[in-house]
Amino acid sequence: MTMHQRASKLGPIELEVIHGTIRAAELEIEAAVERTARSPMIRDQHDYRVALFDAKGRKLTGRSYSAIVEPVFEYFGEDQINPGDVFFWNDPYNSCGGIGHVPDLCTTVPIFHGDRLIGFSQVFGHHDDIGGSVPGSLPVHATDSWMEGVLIPPIKLYDAGVLNEAAFKIIVRNSRLSEHLAGDLDAEIGAAKLGSRRIVALAERYGVETLESAFEQILKNTAEIFRREIFPKIKDGTYHFEDHIEADGVDEPRLHTLRLTMTKTPEKIILDFNGTDPEAKGPINWSLDEVEGRYFRKWLAPVLRSLAESPERAAEIDSNEGVLDVIEVKFPEKGTLITPTFGKPTGMRFFLMLRSLGSFAACLSKASGGKMPADHETIRIWGLTGGRSQEDFYLFREVLGGGGPGRPWADGSDVVHIVPNSRNLPAEFTETRYPIMVEKLALKQDSGGAGFRRGGFGYDKQMKALGECRLISNADRSILGCYGVNGGKAGMSYQVSVLDGPGDETVHPGMCDTVTVPQDVSVRVVTTGGGGWGDPFDREVDKVVYDLQCELISEGSARDDYGVVAHLDGRKWHADIPATEKHRAELKAKRGGLPMFDRGSAYEEMKKTGKVSFPDNWTDPDQGWNAV
């Protein structure tokens, strides 16, 4: 036994070093992908995830949500997992819930120390194109999975270090951007192998037994931290909430509802999604009901960190596989939005991803006296595609962020994205690479929901097409705004429009991919604002004036939403304090008490016209809940 192979005793210092090294290794994996990938979606917009797992497939960190390893165990026996293997898949119905839609390709590398399996390294990314009926592989009118692109069940892309060349050629050939896809796959495989080497180095340094003991302790610590620090802030009991997707792209637009009943005990949170609407004809389904919802539970868990003692402490709390000890999920029978039957389209499953986070957060708001952040819708995909042949084909596409939620401790962040470290494409990159001119990139005034802590602002982006092309918009929340909490107001909804001429603007549905944009015509995209938190009339006057001075809000919003009377002296706004106090008192007297949740005027109109309905044994989740 060499010095580097000698077993070490696991103490608190060793545990902290191992834990920190795992997190650093994931950062290194991400950097390797970004530096070597080819497609703008992966390299420039960072729409990919990485993760490191132990030999049982348990995720060791929570810093980036990823897929899961269970498909390897399900499709391959223990004697079929060997050094040099690279497992690969994207089939939403054969990924144990870890892959939601077809453009997400998952690469998983087993980690060996000698002949002993000690873990897995994984990278998966949202790729530019993997076939299907429209460029980008997210057809809004899809009625089955095969319209969305090539489906790959778990396979070995490399078997003991030998490339399956036939499979690689088939996968790449099915993309309209084959060169991009081939480069991305090589980048992801190489990065996953890099992560493998970092875990092997830890095993060499501390010994395999010590390393595996550290893995166990890391997971155990996570569950204990949630129970000790977070659970006491959540009142035991049962709470329910629901949220909606506005259309499925196939049927006439109507609300498709996700329903959640949360039961909190001292030891566990049970999330019951029975009552959720039936599966949709169009691509808004999300297949989750496999392997006890392991992926789904890890996806939801980070919401709990909002109840940490401080934002700094929240950032320190991991949400790795240990959260499975404190969260349980109950699924409806097959045939609902989150338990769809095989082959139902799932391309826009990110709508449900965000509705699930919002519904969980709303139940926690009820159970914590309104101490959770408001709602935010921070993912939508839009773009322009054109060209008359494969030689001049192009696909410009962005995953644009929106306004973050107002929180008890801070305003919402502007134009943030739920994909970690994601960003919009720079104007210089866009104009160099595509026949597009960026005319405007700004924050959308008044888009953040009003509140004691207001919601963040969405994008206001305008681009001119220099040649005829087609508009792509994969977005929800184009009617309903992000809800406000504890007296805060809902944020502004998404909008995409074509500017046909001066003063002539045609607004299109949030889900569309058949709109032709003529040459020299502009497209405008306004993304959602986050919901507000707390009574807007309690917001500090100087903060309202600052937002007014920066043109983040209008004079009308300052007066009507925040009750602040201000006047412009030259180029500077000043508040009239006596008039403001009088105006706020008058507005408070007129409005009465505030609800715990504000979903916006469009939702209230839907309720009045009967477009919002409740099934038997289900009551209006907003009724009776008032701001604290």
Side-chain angles (χ1 to χ4, degrees), residues 251-327:
D251 280 337
E252 285 296 312
R254 62 177 175 82
L255 296 185
H256 299 257
T257 305
L258 178 75
R259 295 188 173 90
L260 169 62
T261 300
M262 181 188 88
T263 300
K264 160 64 171 50
T265 72
E267 293 296 315
K268 186 169 287 191
I269 290 176
I270 302 168
L271 303 175
D272 186 343
F273 288 90
N274 279 286
T276 292
D277 276 359
E279 61 190 6
K281 292 180 184 176
I284 62 170
N285 306 287
W286 187 20
S287 181
L288 289 165
D289 54 328
E290 298 181 63
V291 295
E292 302 174 325
R294 299 181 74 88
Y295 175 86
F296 194 29
R297 290 147 73 190
K298 287 183 283 186
W299 165 255
L300 292 167
V303 173
L304 291 165
R305 296 187 296 187
S306 295
L307 292 172
E309 192 65 32
S310 67
E312 293 77 17
R313 178 56 181 153
E316 294 172 348
I317 297 175
D318 221 338
S319 55
N320 55 37
E321 201 88 9
V323 301
L324 300 189
D325 287 344
V326 298
I327 296 178

Side-chain angles (χ1 to χ4, degrees), residues 36-308:
T36 57
R38 291 294 305 277
S39 68
M41 185 68 80
I42 303 290
R43 183 191 64 219
D44 301 286
Q45 297 198 76
H46 208 269
D47 197 355
Y48 60 90
R49 324 283 178 273
V50 310
L52 292 166
F53 303 81
D54 71 2
K56 298 177 182 178
R58 297 179 299 181
K59 192 170 185 292
L60 297 171
T61 79
R63 55 167 306 282
S64 173
Y65 66 93
S66 65
I68 55 180
V69 176
E70 275 74 9
V72 175
F73 303 143
E74 186 172 291
Y75 276 76
F76 301 92
E78 185 176 339
D79 60 343
Q80 295 176 294
I81 304 174
N82 303 303
D85 288 346
V86 176
F87 299 95
F88 188 79
W89 64 84
N90 79 328
D91 187 341
Y93 291 93
N94 287 285
S95 64
C96 298
I99 292 294
H101 60 185
V102 174
D104 286 347
L105 302 177
C106 185
T107 298
T108 304
V109 173
I111 305 172
F112 282 86
H113 182 262
D115 295 329
R116 183 168 175 174
L117 178 67
I118 61 172
F120 294 89
S121 179
Q122 187 178 84
V123 179
F124 88 86
H126 182 153
H127 293 263
D128 276 344
D129 188 275
I130 191 66
S133 60
V134 302
S137 308
L138 290 176
V140 302
H141 305 300
T143 54
D144 62 45
S145 294
W146 295 273
M147 295 176 69
E148 298 178 316
V150 60
L151 298 171
I152 308 154
I155 64 170
K156 282 189 179 185
L157 196 56
Y158 282 80
D159 189 347
V162 179
L163 173 64
N164 184 336
E165 293 190 19
F168 190 88
K169 288 178 180 178
I170 291 169
I171 294 165
V172 171
R173 179 64 171 169
N174 271 275
S175 174
R176 295 173 177 85
L177 295 162
S178 296
E179 185 179 344
H180 283 190
L181 181 56
D184 287 347
L185 295 184
D186 285 343
E188 290 162 0
I189 292 168
K193 290 180 177 179
L194 184 154
S196 173
R197 294 195 294 272
R198 297 298 176 261
I199 298 302
V200 170
L202 277 175
E204 289 286 326
R205 180 177 180 182
Y206 292 102
V208 173
E209 287 76 15
T210 300
L211 184 61
E212 291 183 340
S213 295
F215 292 165
E216 292 286 346
Q217 192 62 47
I218 288 168
L219 302 181
K220 181 181 178 182
N221 287 349
T222 291
E224 290 178 350
I225 288 170
F226 275 101
R227 286 196 179 103
R228 182 177 65 248
E229 298 186 28
I230 305 298
F231 274 32
K233 300 178 180 180
I234 307 169
K235 186 178 179 181
D236 289 355
T238 299
Y239 312 87
H240 73 294
F241 197 75
E242 67 180 31
D243 211 341
H244 315 277
I245 296 170
E246 300 161 351
D248 75 341
V250 175
D251 280 337
E252 285 296 312
R254 62 177 175 82
L255 296 185
H256 299 257
T257 305
L258 178 75
R259 295 188 173 90
L260 169 62
T261 300
M262 181 188 88
T263 300
K264 160 64 171 50
T265 72
E267 293 296 315
K268 186 169 287 191
I269 290 176
I270 302 168
L271 303 175
D272 186 343
F273 288 90
N274 279 286
T276 292
D277 276 359
E279 61 190 6
K281 292 180 184 176
I284 62 170
N285 306 287
W286 187 20
S287 181
L288 289 165
D289 54 328
E290 298 181 63
V291 295
E292 302 174 325
R294 299 181 74 88
Y295 175 86
F296 194 29
R297 290 147 73 190
K298 287 183 283 186
W299 165 255
L300 292 167
V303 173
L304 291 165
R305 296 187 296 187
S306 295
L307 292 172

Side-chain angles (χ1 to χ4, degrees), residues 222-533:
T222 291
E224 290 178 350
I225 288 170
F226 275 101
R227 286 196 179 103
R228 182 177 65 248
E229 298 186 28
I230 305 298
F231 274 32
K233 300 178 180 180
I234 307 169
K235 186 178 179 181
D236 289 355
T238 299
Y239 312 87
H240 73 294
F241 197 75
E242 67 180 31
D243 211 341
H244 315 277
I245 296 170
E246 300 161 351
D248 75 341
V250 175
D251 280 337
E252 285 296 312
R254 62 177 175 82
L255 296 185
H256 299 257
T257 305
L258 178 75
R259 295 188 173 90
L260 169 62
T261 300
M262 181 188 88
T263 300
K264 160 64 171 50
T265 72
E267 293 296 315
K268 186 169 287 191
I269 290 176
I270 302 168
L271 303 175
D272 186 343
F273 288 90
N274 279 286
T276 292
D277 276 359
E279 61 190 6
K281 292 180 184 176
I284 62 170
N285 306 287
W286 187 20
S287 181
L288 289 165
D289 54 328
E290 298 181 63
V291 295
E292 302 174 325
R294 299 181 74 88
Y295 175 86
F296 194 29
R297 290 147 73 190
K298 287 183 283 186
W299 165 255
L300 292 167
V303 173
L304 291 165
R305 296 187 296 187
S306 295
L307 292 172
E309 192 65 32
S310 67
E312 293 77 17
R313 178 56 181 153
E316 294 172 348
I317 297 175
D318 221 338
S319 55
N320 55 37
E321 201 88 9
V323 301
L324 300 189
D325 287 344
V326 298
I327 296 178
E328 178 183 332
V329 172
K330 293 183 178 180
F331 290 103
E333 294 294 322
K334 274 290 184 187
T336 73
L337 292 170
I338 60 172
T339 58
T341 51
F342 175 66
K344 287 292 181 181
T346 62
M348 313 299 158
R349 64 84 170 85
F350 45 90
F351 299 168
L352 267 179
M353 294 178 78
L354 297 167
R355 299 295 83 73
S356 66
L357 295 179
S359 296
F360 186 23
C363 286
L364 291 170
S365 288
K366 291 182 176 183
S368 65
K371 294 179 181 177
M372 287 291 293
D375 186 40
H376 59 107
E377 215 293 359
T378 55
I379 185 171
R380 76 280 307 144
I381 300 173
W382 90 283
L384 301 170
T385 181
R388 298 181 180 277
S389 67
Q390 188 62 29
E391 283 68 36
D392 64 353
F393 168 78
Y394 71 90
L395 173 62
F396 162 81
R397 196 165 55 160
E398 289 185 299
V399 187
L400 279 182
R407 301 154 287 181
W409 59 89
D411 292 340
S413 300
D414 303 324
V415 293
V416 294
H417 198 300
I418 202 164
V419 176
N421 302 319
S422 185
R423 46 192 175 264
N424 78 95
L425 287 176
E428 296 84 355
F429 178 95
T430 299
E431 294 179 347
T432 300
R433 190 162 183 141
Y434 307 106
I436 294 169
M437 179 182 294
V438 179
E439 298 179 305
K440 178 183 180 181
L441 179 62
L443 299 178
K444 175 58 179 174
Q445 189 180 61
D446 292 337
S447 57
F452 171 65
R453 295 292 172 252
R454 59 161 174 74
F457 298 100
Y459 277 112
D460 187 352
K461 190 165 190 174
Q462 185 171 311
M463 309 180 78
K464 178 184 286 188
L466 302 183
E468 184 179 280
C469 57
R470 190 166 73 183
L471 170 65
I472 298 170
S473 178
N474 307 141
D476 195 33
R477 290 293 203 221
S478 61
I479 300 172
L480 305 179
C482 300
Y483 65 74
V485 167
N486 205 31
K489 300 299 181 181
M492 184 180 292
S493 59
Y494 170 88
Q495 181 177 303
V496 61
S497 57
V498 175
L499 309 180
D500 303 299
D504 189 5
E505 183 174 9
T506 303
V507 177
H508 293 282
M511 291 178 68
C512 62
D513 58 17
T514 59
V515 175
T516 297
V517 181
Q519 181 175 340
D520 295 328
V521 167
S522 298
V523 176
R524 185 186 185 193
V525 177
V526 172
T527 64
T528 53
W533 187 93

Side-chain angles (χ1 to χ4, degrees), residues 568-620:
L568 190 61
D569 183 4
R571 298 174 61 182
K572 191 169 184 178
W573 286 96
H574 297 275
D576 184 331
I577 299 301
T580 294
E581 291 175 349
K582 179 182 178 182
H583 187 49
R584 281 184 164 180
E586 291 172 349
L587 291 175
K588 284 184 177 181
K590 287 181 182 179
R591 74 175 186 197
L594 290 172
M596 176 65 78
F597 306 102
D598 176 74
R599 300 180 189 246
S601 58
Y603 180 78
E604 294 303 320
E605 182 62 28
M606 284 186 168
K607 289 184 78 170
K608 290 178 183 178
T609 57
K611 294 180 180 179
V612 178
S613 59
F614 308 106
D616 295 339
N617 302 317
W618 187 268
T619 58
D620 184 343

